Amino acid sequence: MRYRLTLALGVWVFGMIVSNLLTLVSGRQMDTYAEGMRQKLSKVRAPDPNIVLAGLDEEAMMPEVFHRKTHARVLKNLKAAGVKLVFFDLVFDEDRAPEADAAFKEALSDAPPTVLAGTTGQVYQGDELTRRSAILAPALAEVLETSNVVLGLIENPASTAGARWPYFLALDLGDGPQASAALAMYGLYQSVNPRDFKYQPDGVVVPPVKIPLEVQSTGADVTYVFDVGFHPAATGPNHVPGSGTYRVIPYMELVDPAPELMDSLRGRIVVIGENTATESDAFDTPVGVMKGFEIHAQVFDRLLHQDFTTMLSAEANGWLTVALVTLVASLALVTWPIPLLLATGTGLILGYLRLNIWLFEQKHVVAALPEPLIGASAAFVALVMVRVILASRFLGRFIPVEAARGILMAERTAEAVNATVIVTDIRGYTTLSETRTPVEMLHLLNEYHSVTVDIYHKHGGNVLTFQGDAQLVVFGFPRRLDDAAGASVTACVEVMKAIDELRAEWGIKERKNFDVGAGICTGMVYIGDIGSADQANYTVIGEVVRTSHKVQSMSDALEGNVLMDEHAYEACRNKPRVTRIPGVMLDGFPEPKVLYRVEPDTP
């Protein structure tokens, strides 16, 4: 029990250390993982096919065509095509040529719901320099009151460092929140004017939908931040043409659109912005560099489909981390088989991942997978593997290695098997011990067991029990042998030769002062762990074991080191050279037995 408590504590402490180290190394690790997960999950749904990007390429940016008369013509064509919503990612904060301004103002007055880009800036009020809210050119300003045209901010005051992209949805410079371009588009699409948005400490309400936000304050400025998950880029140097991205058409095709193009735009949302091959208006996002007008389109897409995500609070993630690490560490306390432990640990990891997915899909909450879980899980698996290796080696000193691995990998009970059992005993042990100290005897016994056990193992046998100078050896389980009985005879003959060598090495001149007798029997036995829940032995029991003891006890009287019963002899595929001895009465058996004495020169 103390070992298991130590192991559990070690796993738990290791997991917490890994957690703290990773947090110190990179404070954005959780955010990075959460954003990666968000990106993967966001790709489950394809981009909305109703969103069309109209890119201003190099041809459209030429001075002779890039003016408000061109924009007015495009806007009228989009109206005629039945477009549902238009966004110009172009700033119209200053007057231009009166004739062009008038044409654009006229088009705006009868346009589909339209969002115009606005930026904040700095202006002097007397001698004081202050920030100002977005404005529309004076020549165009009237349309904000008389038509379905609104301004939407396009600047991004929030940080974009790392893998997260906290897109701002609104900004308050002290004179009330102003909606971003994406939020304004969403409002117009839902027939809600941005003036009717309700801003709250944890989100903004576009009746009747509440969008969860993070409110950040910097001095007098308040920013409403919205975490975004992106689809693959359709613009910029990292764009991926084809399926999975938005449809992109050249802006100039809207100036004189073909009938097929007009038909394809009915009911669509058209987002217009700069799409040249330069780095102008290009931003780095988690899926690569893309143009700014596509970023607004992707955020609008998220809002339109209510793909709202919020991060689980740091406090909630902390408690979840402690709970998960504790659960994983507690597995070290149980005495389950290794496969069950591994399955349970894996189940905890997969269950937590499933919890993340469920939170995202059902609650739109991203709970960052804590690094401590990764560290604790890795430590748990490693410690389990170490436990298997060390335990199998340790148990292998007492029971067969195969049996030790079997016990560790799965619960097993005693099972009936057909095997050959050898029982050995040292003759002259009493005389030998009288001339030596207990410590010297212990050294002699250990050397004797080391030599003989190696021989048994070489021929496929396993020593299950040491009883002082006696040995109980099994052939045929758990390692299956083609000729278990024959292998046992070969091993015993080799052991007898080793005994002669040990006798010479120890300086024992007379055989009677150190010799070994062995009894070999074959039949059904029961092998397994036997004992209580707290202490048990791995051994073999059965009538065959009892018979082997009795046969061995007759080895001295019958003048043979190795004796076999009739079943063992019949089981030998290659019959050894033996002498048949009938009519042997064994203690405790009512009927005489036929035994076989193995002759020393048996190969």
Side-chain angles (χ1 to χ4, degrees), residues 64-81 83 86 88 92 99-108 110-112 251-258 262 265 272:
E64 58 268 26
V65 295
F66 185 70
H67 50 69
R68 291 177 185 176
K69 281 188 177 181
T70 302
H71 303 327
R73 187 170 179 176
V74 167
L75 202 52
K76 289 181 178 181
N77 289 336
L78 295 178
K79 170 73 174 181
V83 168
V86 179
F88 276 95
F92 302 98
E99 187 176 340
D101 287 346
F104 191 47
K105 178 181 178 181
E106 178 187 355
L108 287 171
D110 190 37
Y251 184 69
M252 293 306 295
E253 290 186 10
L254 298 176
V255 178
D256 293 301
M262 293 284 281
L265 293 178
I272 300 168

Side-chain angles (χ1 to χ4, degrees), residues 71-266:
H71 303 327
R73 187 170 179 176
V74 167
L75 202 52
K76 289 181 178 181
N77 289 336
L78 295 178
K79 170 73 174 181
V83 168
K84 187 169 184 178
L85 180 68
V86 179
F87 168 53
F88 276 95
D89 188 17
L90 303 172
V91 178
F92 302 98
D93 59 347
E94 295 180 355
D95 291 340
R96 293 290 187 259
E99 187 176 340
D101 287 346
F104 191 47
K105 178 181 178 181
E106 178 187 355
L108 287 171
S109 300
D110 190 37
T114 302
V115 177
L116 302 178
T119 61
T120 60
Q122 295 178 328
V123 295
Y124 280 97
Q125 293 182 347
D127 294 332
E128 186 177 352
L129 183 64
T130 62
R131 294 191 73 183
R132 64 169 171 81
S133 300
I135 62 171
L136 191 60
L140 307 174
E142 185 181 343
V143 299
L144 296 178
E145 302 296 333
T146 61
S147 63
N148 203 10
V149 177
V150 299
L151 281 177
L153 296 179
I154 59 172
E155 68 175 52
N156 187 2
S159 169
T160 59
R164 296 180 63 192
W165 185 287
Y167 181 96
F168 87 107
L169 277 194
L171 178 65
D172 187 350
L173 299 177
D175 54 354
Q178 287 187 291
S180 67
L183 184 60
M185 290 171 63
Y186 177 66
L188 284 189
Y189 190 88
Q190 303 294 341
S191 301
V192 179
N193 193 289
R195 291 191 296 267
D196 298 325
F197 295 169
K198 295 179 174 61
Y199 295 89
Q200 299 177 351
D202 58 347
V204 58
V205 177
V206 180
V209 177
K210 182 176 181 178
I211 303 169
L213 299 173
E214 178 184 350
V215 181
Q216 300 176 349
S217 298
T218 306
D221 297 349
V222 178
T223 306
Y224 296 82
V225 177
F226 177 71
D227 278 327
V228 183
F230 286 92
H231 293 300
T235 62
N238 298 117
H239 75 282
V240 182
S243 61
T245 60
Y246 296 107
R247 175 188 176 193
V248 182
I249 60 175
Y251 184 69
M252 293 306 295
E253 290 186 10
L254 298 176
V255 178
D256 293 301
E260 310 86 64
L261 178 58
M262 293 284 281
D263 291 340
S264 70
L265 293 178
R266 184 170 303 279

Side-chain angles (χ1 to χ4, degrees), residues 354-383:
R354 184 61 226 174
L355 173 63
N356 273 265
I357 295 174
W358 181 85
L359 285 172
F360 182 88
E361 293 177 341
Q362 302 299 324
K363 304 297 182 180
H364 305 290
V365 173
V366 175
L369 178 66
E371 293 86 346
L373 176 62
I374 301 174
S377 300
F380 171 73
V381 173
L383 287 173

Side-chain angles (χ1 to χ4, degrees), residues 28 72 107 144 168 176 188 192-193 260 268 276 290 296 320 327 351 385-386 402 424 449 463 466 539 553 559 565 580:
R28 294 196 301 267
L144 296 178
F168 87 107
L188 284 189
V192 179
N193 193 289
E260 310 86 64
R268 310 294 189 197
T276 64
M290 69 173 64
H296 301 303
L320 197 57
L327 279 174
M385 293 297 99
V386 169
E402 296 88 345
T424 68
H449 287 311
V463 180
F466 294 101
T539 188
S553 67
E559 300 180 348
D565 74 348
R580 186 173 184 271

Side-chain angles (χ1 to χ4, degrees), residues 275-328:
N275 192 30
T276 64
T278 68
E279 296 182 359
S280 173
D281 200 39
F283 299 89
D284 191 17
T285 73
V287 295
V289 177
M290 69 173 64
K291 293 292 185 174
F293 77 118
E294 183 184 358
I295 292 176
H296 301 303
Q298 294 222 23
V299 177
F300 166 70
D301 192 348
R302 292 283 175 267
L303 295 173
L304 188 61
H305 291 276
Q306 299 188 19
D307 288 348
F308 310 143
T309 59
T310 56
M311 293 292 294
L312 198 65
S313 69
E315 182 180 1
N317 265 316
W319 282 110
L320 197 57
T321 296
V322 172
L324 288 167
V325 173
T326 303
L327 279 174
V328 172

Side-chain angles (χ1 to χ4, degrees), residues 490-553:
T490 302
C492 280
V493 171
E494 191 171 330
V495 163
M496 298 312 152
K497 294 179 181 178
I499 297 303
D500 292 339
E501 295 173 1
L502 286 176
R503 191 183 302 109
E505 179 185 335
W506 295 344
I508 302 174
K509 297 180 179 180
E510 297 186 41
R511 178 181 291 273
K512 66 177 182 179
N513 291 332
F514 178 65
D515 204 2
V516 172
I520 304 175
C521 297
T522 296
M524 295 300 297
V525 295
Y526 293 88
I527 300 179
D529 50 316
I530 300 172
S532 68
D534 296 325
Q535 185 174 0
N537 291 324
Y538 190 85
T539 188
V540 54
I541 61 174
E543 187 67 15
V544 171
V545 179
R546 188 169 77 94
T547 305
S548 297
H549 278 283
K550 300 303 181 181
V551 170
Q552 183 281 135
S553 67

